[in-house]
Amino acid sequence: LSALLGVGLGTFFLFQQSKRGLSPLAQEEILSPHDEAYQALNRLQHSDLIRKGQLKLYFLHLSEILRRYFERRYQIRALELTTYELKNEFKDRLNTEQGQLINDVLSFCDLVKFAKYLPTPLEIIRQNNQAKLVIDQTREPEIRPEAGPLTVPN
């Protein structure tokens, strides 16, 4: 019930904001896909889900963070695809190493979520590091302005 109330209030707030338009400050606060994913990963890592033994929920969130990143980064509906379908989606977009890394992380998340696998603390740390590596290896290159020839005014 509280989740529905939260969704309803969030929808109302977003609707009100869209009617008024984004303020200049709000427009500046829009994060890049990789920055948003990094922030979400940091929040997840600092959550108490692992301490509470909620590993299935932890890896559900980890998978969702990566899939949301893929949606923003590649404009694909990653949240609606299975890991296998996502692997096929990336076959022509990424190199073999990147595709394998993504498949490994998402497959591990699936193992915990669906097969009730209980990862060791070392495996949890490794998967967190692998998730960050996925983002690092697939982030959009930064566009830097080209330096033109220097001209001296007359």
Side-chain angles (χ1 to χ4, degrees):
L1 182 61
S2 62
L4 287 174
L5 181 61
V7 170
L9 288 173
T11 303
F12 175 76
F13 177 76
L14 288 174
F15 178 72
Q16 292 299 321
Q17 287 290 71
S18 67
K19 284 180 17 183
R20 288 183 268 179
L22 289 174
S23 68
L25 180 59
Q27 289 175 352
E28 290 178 3
E29 293 175 2
I30 295 175
L31 297 172
S32 66
H34 64 270
D35 286 336
E36 181 181 301
Y38 256 95
Q39 284 187 9
L41 284 173
N42 286 331
R43 281 192 304 274
L44 178 62
Q45 289 173 343
H46 291 96
S47 73
D48 59 354
L49 292 174
I50 293 174
R51 186 177 54 77
K52 289 181 175 180
Q54 297 178 322
L55 297 176
K56 182 177 179 177
L57 187 57
Y58 184 89
F59 281 92
L60 175 77
H61 287 303
L62 181 63
S63 176
E64 185 175 308
I65 289 166
L66 288 174
R67 289 169 182 275
R68 287 188 190 282
Y69 166 74
F70 299 143
E71 286 195 349
R72 289 197 57 210
R73 170 67 176 91
Y74 296 104
Q75 293 76 45
I76 58 174
R77 297 180 306 168
L79 285 167
E80 299 174 19
L81 299 175
T82 65
T83 299
Y84 179 78
E85 292 169 330
L86 197 54
K87 178 182 175 181
N88 288 333
E89 183 73 31
F90 284 135
K91 195 182 311 184
D92 297 328
R93 294 177 187 235
L94 303 173
N95 68 42
T96 304
E97 180 184 323
Q98 292 168 332
Q100 188 61 50
L101 179 62
I102 291 167
N103 187 59
D104 290 350
V105 173
L106 293 179
S107 293
F108 190 89
C109 290
D110 290 347
L111 192 62
V112 176
K113 294 183 317 186
F114 304 120
K116 299 181 183 173
Y117 178 74
L118 295 176
T120 66
L122 188 59
E123 288 175 310
I124 295 169
I125 291 168
R126 182 174 185 273
Q127 291 307 310
N128 287 326
N129 291 337
Q130 295 290 81
K132 288 180 179 177
L133 188 58
V134 165
I135 295 165
D136 289 341
Q137 288 190 5
T138 60
R139 71 185 286 172
E140 287 185 272
E142 293 182 25
I143 300 172
R144 296 182 182 175
E146 291 185 34
L150 294 177
T151 58
V152 178
N154 292 331

